[in-house]
Amino acid sequence: MSDRRARIGVFGGTFDPVHVGHLVAAVNARHDVGLDRVLLVVANSPWQKTGRRSITPAEDRFAVVSAAVEGVDGLEASRLEIDRGGTSYTVETLQALRDATPGAELYLIVGSDLAGEMSTWDRIDQASSMATLVVVSRAGGRGGGTAPPGWKVLDVGIPALEISSTDLRARVANGRPLDYLVPSPALRCIRERGLYAGS
Ligand code: ATP
Ligand code: MG
């Protein structure tokens, strides 16, 4: 075993619900960057989304993400932001992971739609020294933004998966199926919990 530092990917999201786009992004970031683990960090209260629409309770979203990654090598659902409570700020999550795993290298994974928005994130400039940014390409014209200055950036390409949680919630509202857009164990969890009624 080499003594190279552990590499941890931090992939935050509302995951309302998690879908194959998230999972393909996570496994490809892990593969291309050589990450030991990718944490899918379920936002407790995503401050940029709350108030605009009703968000599924964090424990439900976490259960669905856990079901989605169960048995998948190197992918883990993280309750870090849920256990911290309150509003979820990426900079605090990175700081907490740095404290908890001294010596590890952190990689902040974002879809390309978010790279250009990062400058609006609270205190995010403080985080550029804590992590390398991994930008995963995202189809449908959502990309294009450039990461804020100061970040070390790696690009990861994935097959274009034009899918978003927003679209999935709309599908459910129209009575359409989520099968194969959400992994089946996660879909089972959604049904058991009666989430996104209609699925
Ligand atoms: P919503 O439509 O509610 O915003 P979303 O599908 O964008 O949901 P989020 O939880 O907001 O999902 O996103 C979490 C992370 O996953 C973000 O970094 C986002 O860019 C990325 N992501 C979401 N969908 C895809 C996709 N289809 N391909 C690649 N990355 C994605
Ligand atoms: Mg989004």
Side-chain angles (χ1 to χ4, degrees), residues 86-147:
T87 307
S88 304
Y89 296 110
T90 300
V91 65
E92 293 177 5
T93 300
L94 291 172
Q95 187 62 57
L97 282 167
R98 232 162 65 133
D99 295 344
T101 53
E105 288 177 0
L106 300 182
Y107 292 81
L108 178 64
I109 302 166
V110 296
S112 51
D113 60 311
L114 287 191
E117 286 179 19
M118 280 176 63
S119 52
T120 69
W121 295 5
D122 194 64
R123 291 161 285 153
I124 196 63
D125 46 313
Q126 294 174 20
S128 61
S129 59
M130 294 186 219
T132 298
L133 188 66
V134 177
V135 180
V136 180
S137 66
R138 193 168 177 186
R142 294 170 207 253
T146 26

Side-chain angles (χ1 to χ4, degrees), residues 11 14-15 19 22 49 111 113 138 161 163-166 169:
F11 189 35
T14 312
F15 303 116
H19 54 67
H22 297 132
K49 286 183 179 171
D113 60 311
R138 193 168 177 186
L161 293 163
I163 171 175
S164 70
S165 302
T166 300
R169 293 191 302 273

Side-chain angles (χ1 to χ4, degrees), residues 34-187:
L35 304 174
D36 300 291
R37 315 191 273 147
V38 173
L39 309 179
L40 283 82
V41 184
V42 178
N44 184 53
S45 175
W47 66 278
Q48 292 199 325
K49 286 183 179 171
T50 42
R52 291 205 228 155
R53 63 172 179 88
S54 74
I55 295 181
T56 304
E59 290 293 351
D60 287 325
R61 289 183 282 110
F62 177 78
V64 177
V65 173
S66 301
V69 299
E70 186 167 0
V72 181
D73 242 15
L75 261 50
E76 295 170 28
S78 168
R79 335 183 17 97
L80 205 73
E81 293 184 353
I82 297 176
D83 290 344
R84 189 165 72 231
T87 307
S88 304
Y89 296 110
T90 300
V91 65
E92 293 177 5
T93 300
L94 291 172
Q95 187 62 57
L97 282 167
R98 232 162 65 133
D99 295 344
T101 53
E105 288 177 0
L106 300 182
Y107 292 81
L108 178 64
I109 302 166
V110 296
S112 51
D113 60 311
L114 287 191
E117 286 179 19
M118 280 176 63
S119 52
T120 69
W121 295 5
D122 194 64
R123 291 161 285 153
I124 196 63
D125 46 313
Q126 294 174 20
S128 61
S129 59
M130 294 186 219
T132 298
L133 188 66
V134 177
V135 180
V136 180
S137 66
R138 193 168 177 186
R142 294 170 207 253
T146 26
W151 285 84
K152 191 175 158 218
V153 182
L154 301 174
D155 288 302
V156 168
I158 57 169
L161 293 163
E162 182 39 21
I163 171 175
S164 70
S165 302
T166 300
D167 296 342
L168 294 191
R169 293 191 302 273
R171 287 182 69 82
V172 171
N174 293 326
R176 299 164 95 185
L178 294 187
D179 301 81
Y180 302 110
L181 298 171
V182 170
S184 21
L187 196 49

